[in-house]
Amino acid sequence: MAKWGEGDPRWIVEERADATNVNNWHWTERDATNWSSEKLKELLMGLWVEGEEGKCEITEVSKVEGEASINNRKGKLIFFYEWDLKADWRGTSKSGIQYKGNIEVPNLSDENDMDDLDISVSLCKDEPETALLSLMRSEGVKKIRTALASYVDFLKTEFTQGMILPTANGVTQQQTAQATTKSNVTKIGSCSAAPPPNTGVKIPTCKFSIKDTFLTSPEDLYRVFLNQDMVQAFTRSSAVVEAEKGGKFRLLDGNVNGEFQELVPEQKIVMKWRFNSWPCEHYAAVTLTFTDKGNETELKIECRAVPENEEERTRDGWQRYYCHAIKQTFGYGARLC
């Protein structure tokens, strides 16, 4: 028998006020099926590629069958997921001819590496051959694979919050693991009350710019970014937008946040903007410039202080969740510069 005060620390309940799953020793399980189904649809819907052949996008996720769960045993998280996915895509050639096709992913599973994932892209029956099929099988498959990898990263970070409880020193193994996990997800949001381990660490940053053209006036396009109802329309999710200097914004159900620093009607918007996976309180400086081109408006997006390893994801996020979504929602479609 152990002496008083020298017992197995796994059974010392006094170190937690609630005495719940002390030191994460007991087996716990969380069902992630419903959450995963919605997340997969969110990541795949509206995904698009464009090339010399034309443009293609996923218009519907028609099948999401499978299950997902997370188990915690002795402070270690064990992930299980297995999905059979089907989606529809539509392509438009440069000459304006439209084509329809299908996408199948039969083996999205924790047992398969993402690089080995089988992603099948085909045309619908009776559709004539088109170069857009090659575009989808090359660039389209790459984007689909990236989106599915984002789902796995979300599953291992966002959905696992709270599964590993704090131990006596208040630190969890999950906090340590998440601080070192490289995330490729597109999910963005605000900091938690307690700063993560990388707060205050100087990180290398970069800058880039995007130009896009919209078939509308500078006045209308400017309003899209500041009108809360319009923001909720093109993001297809809840949003809070305080359209004034110093006003805050939260998009995509709270997963994007920032602050407006300068507003020049119909001409310019300057904001602080961040992804959730960036170090806490690190923001990119984003400037939107609206230029009247007669029957259309040129939008220039300048992003500075973007973490160097986040450039591609940030650029894709602005093109997909802002430019493409705005065109698709309000009919402002035009060519990409």
Side-chain angles (χ1 to χ4, degrees), residues 240-276:
V240 175
V241 180
E242 300 172 355
E244 59 184 7
K245 183 177 180 179
K248 310 291 186 181
F249 59 84
R250 293 173 61 82
L251 318 182
L252 297 171
D253 294 324
N255 297 312
V256 159
N257 73 94
E259 177 182 315
F260 295 115
Q261 296 185 304
E262 183 180 356
L263 299 175
V264 182
E266 305 174 28
Q267 298 180 31
K268 183 168 66 173
I269 297 175
V270 180
M271 67 182 88
K272 292 164 54 180
W273 186 96
R274 78 181 307 276
F275 282 93
N276 186 46

Side-chain angles (χ1 to χ4, degrees), residues 49-56 92-96 130-132 134-136 138-139:
V49 291
E50 189 170 12
E52 295 180 357
E53 306 87 345
K55 185 175 182 179
C56 304
T92 305
S93 68
K94 290 295 185 180
S95 60
T130 171
L132 292 173
S134 297
L135 176 65
M136 277 298 292
S138 56
E139 298 306 312

Side-chain angles (χ1 to χ4, degrees), residues 96-302:
I97 301 175
Q98 291 196 343
Y99 302 84
K100 295 181 179 180
N102 308 114
I103 300 166
E104 293 188 26
V105 185
N107 62 338
L108 177 60
S109 166
D110 57 286
E111 296 182 353
N112 299 320
D113 291 336
M114 194 58 61
D115 291 338
D116 298 330
L117 198 60
D118 182 16
I119 303 175
S120 173
V121 180
S122 61
L123 285 167
C124 288
K125 186 179 180 181
D126 298 329
E127 287 282 356
E129 287 297 320
T130 171
L132 292 173
L133 180 59
S134 297
L135 176 65
M136 277 298 292
R137 285 177 171 173
S138 56
E139 298 306 312
V141 165
K142 289 180 183 178
K143 284 208 169 184
I144 293 169
R145 198 182 304 276
T146 298
L148 297 178
S150 295
Y151 155 70
V152 175
D153 284 333
F154 272 131
L155 181 66
K156 293 182 178 180
T157 54
E158 175 187 316
F159 192 77
T160 58
Q161 293 295 325
M163 284 201 70
I164 299 183
L165 302 173
T167 53
N169 61 6
V171 178
T172 70
Q173 295 178 16
Q174 184 179 13
Q175 288 174 331
T176 305
Q178 289 181 357
T180 57
T181 299
K182 180 179 179 181
S183 175
N184 293 318
V185 297
T186 330
K187 183 84 169 176
I188 37 188
S190 59
C191 302
S192 59
N198 54 2
T199 300
V201 177
K202 186 175 181 180
I203 59 174
T205 61
C206 65
K207 61 181 179 179
F208 65 84
S209 64
I210 300 170
K211 283 186 179 181
D212 208 343
T213 306
F214 297 78
L215 296 178
T216 188
S217 66
E219 178 184 5
D220 288 344
L221 187 58
Y222 177 87
R223 185 169 61 248
V224 167
F225 288 91
L226 299 177
N227 182 286
Q228 182 167 302
D229 290 337
M230 298 181 81
V231 171
Q232 291 182 143
F234 77 76
T235 60
R236 303 178 186 178
S237 60
S238 63
V240 175
V241 180
E242 300 172 355
E244 59 184 7
K245 183 177 180 179
K248 310 291 186 181
F249 59 84
R250 293 173 61 82
L251 318 182
L252 297 171
D253 294 324
N255 297 312
V256 159
N257 73 94
E259 177 182 315
F260 295 115
Q261 296 185 304
E262 183 180 356
L263 299 175
V264 182
E266 305 174 28
Q267 298 180 31
K268 183 168 66 173
I269 297 175
V270 180
M271 67 182 88
K272 292 164 54 180
W273 186 96
R274 78 181 307 276
F275 282 93
N276 186 46
S277 58
W278 294 357
C280 195
E281 293 304 320
H282 181 87
Y283 290 83
V286 177
T287 300
L288 309 181
T289 306
F290 306 83
T291 304
D292 192 347
K293 295 290 185 178
N295 294 327
E296 55 190 26
T297 299
E298 180 185 88
L299 173 64
K300 183 177 182 180
I301 305 166
E302 298 176 274

Side-chain angles (χ1 to χ4, degrees), residues 3-15:
K3 295 180 180 179
W4 179 261
E6 295 181 0
D8 190 326
R10 294 172 297 185
W11 312 115
I12 301 177
V13 299
E14 293 86 356
E15 296 193 15

